[in-house]
Amino acid sequence: MRRSAFGHLASSGRRYRIVDLPGVLGEAADRLPWIHRILIENLLRRRGDPAPLADWLRQGHSDAEIAFHPGRVLMHDTTCGPALVDMAACRSALAEAGGDPARLNPVLPVDVSTDHSVAVDRFGTPDARAHNMARELERNGERYRFMKWATGAFRNLTVHPPGSGIMHTLNLERLASVVTTASVEGQAWAFPDTLIGTDSHTPMVGGLGVLAWGVGGLEAETVMFGLPVTLRAPRVVGVRLSGRLAEGALATDLALEVTALLRGEGIGGRFVEFFGPGVSTLSVGDRAVVANMAPEYGAATGYFPIDARTLAYLHATGRTTEHVALVGDYARRQGLWFQADAEPRYDAVVALDLAAVRPSLAGPRRPQDRLDPARTREAVGAGPTAAQVGDGPPDLAVAIAAITSCTNTSDPRLLVAAGLLARKARARSLAPPPWVKTSLAPGSPTAEAYLRRAGLLADLEALGFGVVAYGCTTCIGNSGPLPAAFEPAMAEGRRAVAVISGNRNFPGRVHPQLELGFLASPPMVVAFALAGDLDRDITTDAIGAGPDGAPVRLADLWPTGVEIDAALATAARPQDYVEAYDLAEASPAWAALQAPTGELYPWDPKSTYLCRPPFVTVDGAPRLGRYLARPLLVLGDDITTDHISPAGAVPSASEAAAYLIAHGEDPSDLNVFSARRGNWEAMVRGLFTNRTVRNLLAADIPAGRTIHSPSGEMLTLWAAAERYRAAGEAVVIVAGERYGMGSSRDWAAKGVALLGVRAVLASSFEAIHRSNLINMGVLPLLLPADAGPSDLALAPGDRIEVEAERLSPRGAVNLAIHYATGQVRRLAAMAAVETSLEADVLAGGGAIPRLLQRALRPA
């Protein structure tokens, strides 16, 4: 690796300063993953040390730490909300400590989408979208006024109003530049567009050739205020794609195949890069679907290098001719241009023949559980043995059929395929049964324009799939109430199912009453809506009958690739993207919102949405040390952040509801947990209340409760935690594999910290949640392979001794299990701490005290 050098690039008559990657890397460049080339550029431009990546070339790996400076931050309203509450509380704490609150300002661009709060209150009517958006503003006015205050109080912060789409689609279609330009000390620079986002699906833009990954809100706060993302030189798994997708297979099917394949490989938070000749056969829309599901296949990110497809997408979405040319010129000059025959050196290589991909579903409880559509009945198992009484939904009825989520609505090809299937069904007079709740919530406001131009929107609307919102809706759990027919049906034991084009189907995520859910492509969602239930082989059984009584099967409705391409050609218009987003940004409702002004937020002590959190203090209390702890919770495998901190509707009979009602809220409209993330009092009462959570500390403990060991009483987690706190007793959580999988929500860590938990002992952690725990000062510990929750067999009265006085990355931490019987079992756990910075954060009591102490130093 030769000495660092800078050079110049000419493009469209302009001259740019650049890091000269070919001059720096020489022949070594071709052996590097494209991801590492981007990281080296970032290190050199920020005057960092690229040696760790050079070591990787020689040794095949490196454990050295690097400091990555992303170019921007992306957030959404329900991760931005708590982050802004933290930031506002930091300013208040700073002012009270005699500091200057104006010193806390983002130093790089921060974009916030408003997409996670809209719910499907109304569907299947022409006014559904307008009604749902109006209800969104009614419910969330206080939060939105707070966000609007923040745009005036903080520099470099842009809030995109409700109706401007889902964050990842907005990023893909409007915000991402692929190559960024900036003036630095009077010189024009060009460099790769990079970002972090407070959502685990931030890697979606990797389908466009932008390196990005998801982080927790707390880590994003530190980056906003100028600190780098510190990580070990990432290990990159190469997925070699060959062939091309067969007729009938869609991007969704490919994403589900990749998810099952890589989960089976156990890639454990590594970066994933796609290479090989098959990459060139995929559109950016196809790639974005696959990159989006990086957290589902266990990766930190999924990346597709820049090529001609990238440039075509930029042109098709309204980017300027000059900018498209710059992206191509820069990528070719810098060795960032994709070569189909390139064979970089990867940590591991997994091969996939695209021709082998077939139409798929995933479910009924995890996104990695791919299955053939014919096997849904087998996947859910036997149902009730008693005969159905009366009419209404049968067993395995489709309660929700939703074309939802950035994952599968950002690719126009998938929405057009759904529209074509709807057109064929409409021509045969088919319609979903009355018990199916149907909805279409695209990630982009542009979708309505191209579907209407192709003549397909009317066909979708005729089947109940009218546009209900431009937001996450059902995918995030804002599915609204189930049709009334399901209450008596489910009381009789009949099972209800969701079929959605989303990215997660964990029990209770889509709707708190639904434990069964399947992920599917948009046209497959429409097909199951027409069938009305899953008690059939959707590939061969009739899903309806035409006017003549003849059976109609899936093969009669499924669109061909030629049909999809012809409809897309009719629909495409680059100007739609600029016009649709400009119209959404000019929202009159957003402009009319009245917001406070000033550097400090005027906290309202009566608010049930926004209150100063107790963990925002200048002096953090470290949770490290040697101590004896009670197990507050003992959990099994696959505990997701949805299990830990729910996002959906606040149940009327819950502890959180009791708190909100006692503080004046309407019992009939308590909104969703994701909207309450600015109020720690409400959120802490919702922890682990997902009805599928099992506390293995004792038999038959209801979700959200535990046994208080000294008294033997069964209490809510919050009540038990308060008793332990008052008695000066430490508590820990014990869990199985993949603890914290799913969403990036930092409230899953904030809540655990507020319960007083000093450490989480798990068989394995998902990467973002592990980072969130550390930033809240909670120590993540990896249990030995022979010491999972079932092996430890913990019970009330048992205690766990933790020796964590001195901490080093991946260092050993001694544990001793003191059973109530008098037996002692000693274990050597490993600190799930990757960098020295993370160890320092834990020693300082978390990220926020460090931020405040930094802001109090003399300028």
Side-chain angles (χ1 to χ4, degrees), residues 78 116-117 473 475-479 508-509 512 641-650 671-677 683 686 689-690 743 745:
T78 61
H116 270 58
S117 298
T473 61
C475 183
I476 193 62
N478 295 345
S479 51
R509 176 182 171 91
T641 52
D642 283 275
H643 289 114
I644 303 168
S645 181
V650 178
N671 211 335
V672 293
F673 275 109
S674 59
R676 300 282 182 184
R677 288 179 184 160
M683 294 302 296
T689 54
N690 182 302
S743 166
R745 66 191 65 163

Side-chain angles (χ1 to χ4, degrees), residues 814-853:
N814 291 325
L815 304 176
I817 313 299
H818 296 267
Y819 291 98
T821 60
Q823 179 187 1
V824 178
R825 179 177 178 181
R826 301 192 182 278
L827 308 169
M830 185 180 81
V833 176
E834 290 296 306
T835 66
S836 56
L837 176 61
E838 289 183 343
D840 289 345
V841 167
L842 285 164
I848 288 177
R850 284 174 56 87
L851 272 178
L852 287 169
Q853 291 159 17

Side-chain angles (χ1 to χ4, degrees), residues 9 42 75 110 118 124 170 205 247 314 344 433 440 460 474 476 532 546 594 607 629 655 660 672 678 739 762 783 816:
L9 169 73
N42 191 274
M75 311 181 84
V110 180
V118 64
L170 171 68
V205 76
E247 178 68 35
L314 291 172
L440 166 61
L460 286 162
T474 301
I476 193 62
Q594 297 297 309
S607 174
E655 293 292 322
L660 292 170
V672 293
Y739 179 76
L783 292 167

Side-chain angles (χ1 to χ4, degrees), residues 160-405:
H160 302 272
S164 52
I166 300 175
M167 63 186 295
H168 307 304
T169 314
L170 171 68
N171 194 23
L172 198 68
E173 295 179 350
R174 187 169 174 89
L175 301 179
S177 60
V178 186
V179 173
T180 296
T181 61
S183 178
V184 181
E185 297 178 352
Q187 284 192 313
W189 277 77
F191 47 90
D193 180 15
T194 58
L195 71 141
I196 58 166
T198 57
D199 186 276
S200 57
H201 294 105
T202 300
M204 183 172 194
V205 76
L208 188 59
V210 176
L211 181 59
W213 61 86
V215 299
L218 290 160
E219 186 170 2
E221 290 168 36
T222 66
V223 172
M224 279 189 266
F225 293 133
L227 296 177
V229 177
T230 303
L231 68 159
R232 291 183 184 267
R235 299 195 172 201
V236 182
V237 174
V239 177
R240 189 180 191 280
L241 301 179
S242 60
R244 64 174 58 244
L245 291 175
E247 178 68 35
L250 298 169
T252 310
D253 307 311
L254 173 59
L256 296 180
E257 184 71 39
V258 169
T259 300
L261 176 66
L262 294 184
R263 272 293 177 184
E265 293 288 332
I267 61 174
R270 286 177 284 182
F271 287 35
V272 167
E273 184 171 277
F274 296 88
F275 74 109
V279 168
S280 300
T281 70
L282 300 174
S283 69
V284 167
D286 296 332
R287 299 172 188 181
V289 176
V290 176
N292 177 284
M293 291 194 71
E296 280 66 53
Y297 46 78
T301 195
Y303 183 77
F304 288 83
I306 301 164
D307 66 357
R309 297 272 194 164
T310 311
L311 305 188
Y313 181 86
L314 291 172
H315 175 74
T317 49
R319 270 71 162 204
T320 67
T321 302
E322 292 77 14
H323 187 75
V324 175
L326 172 63
V327 172
D329 292 341
Y330 182 89
R332 292 185 183 96
R333 166 70 171 77
Q334 294 288 69
L336 298 179
W337 189 260
F338 176 69
Q339 299 291 335
D341 59 351
E343 297 282 343
R345 182 176 183 176
Y346 292 109
D347 186 56
V349 173
V350 180
L352 176 62
D353 180 2
L354 296 176
V357 175
R358 295 289 180 266
S360 304
L361 299 176
R365 294 178 179 87
R366 301 189 307 177
Q368 63 262 44
D369 295 330
R370 183 212 159 271
L371 71 156
D372 295 330
R375 295 180 52 219
T376 54
R377 198 166 28 194
E378 175 188 339
V380 297
T385 56
Q388 179 173 330
V389 178
D391 298 324
D395 185 44
L396 298 181
V398 176
I400 292 174
I403 301 175
T404 178
S405 160

Side-chain angles (χ1 to χ4, degrees), residues 484-509:
F486 278 98
E487 186 173 349
M490 294 174 76
E492 291 180 9
R494 284 176 258 165
R495 295 168 294 175
V497 184
V499 182
I500 69 168
S501 66
N503 44 53
R504 291 180 181 139
N505 53 347
F506 307 131
R509 176 182 171 91

Side-chain angles (χ1 to χ4, degrees), residues 759-785:
V760 176
L761 291 59
S763 301
S764 65
F765 292 90
E766 290 291 286
I768 296 177
H769 185 64
R770 182 200 65 83
S771 173
N772 284 337
L773 288 170
I774 289 169
N775 282 311
M776 283 305 299
V778 178
L779 174 62
L781 291 174
L782 285 167
L783 292 167

Side-chain angles (χ1 to χ4, degrees), residues 614-615 623 630-633 635 644-645 680-681 683-689 695 704-706 715-726 729-733 739 747-760 776 778:
F615 49 77
R623 298 169 192 244
R630 302 274 190 182
L632 185 68
L633 281 161
L635 305 162
I644 303 168
S645 181
W680 68 273
E681 293 268 18
M683 294 302 296
V684 79
R685 288 165 170 79
L687 294 170
F688 296 97
T689 54
N695 186 349
R705 293 178 179 268
T706 192
L715 302 174
T716 65
L717 288 172
W718 177 242
E722 285 297 285
R723 280 207 197 173
Y724 285 129
R725 194 192 323 267
E729 292 198 73
V731 293
V732 296
I733 290 174
Y739 179 76
W747 246 103
K750 288 178 176 177
V752 164
L754 285 170
L755 291 176
V757 172
R758 296 183 68 166
V760 176
M776 283 305 299
V778 178

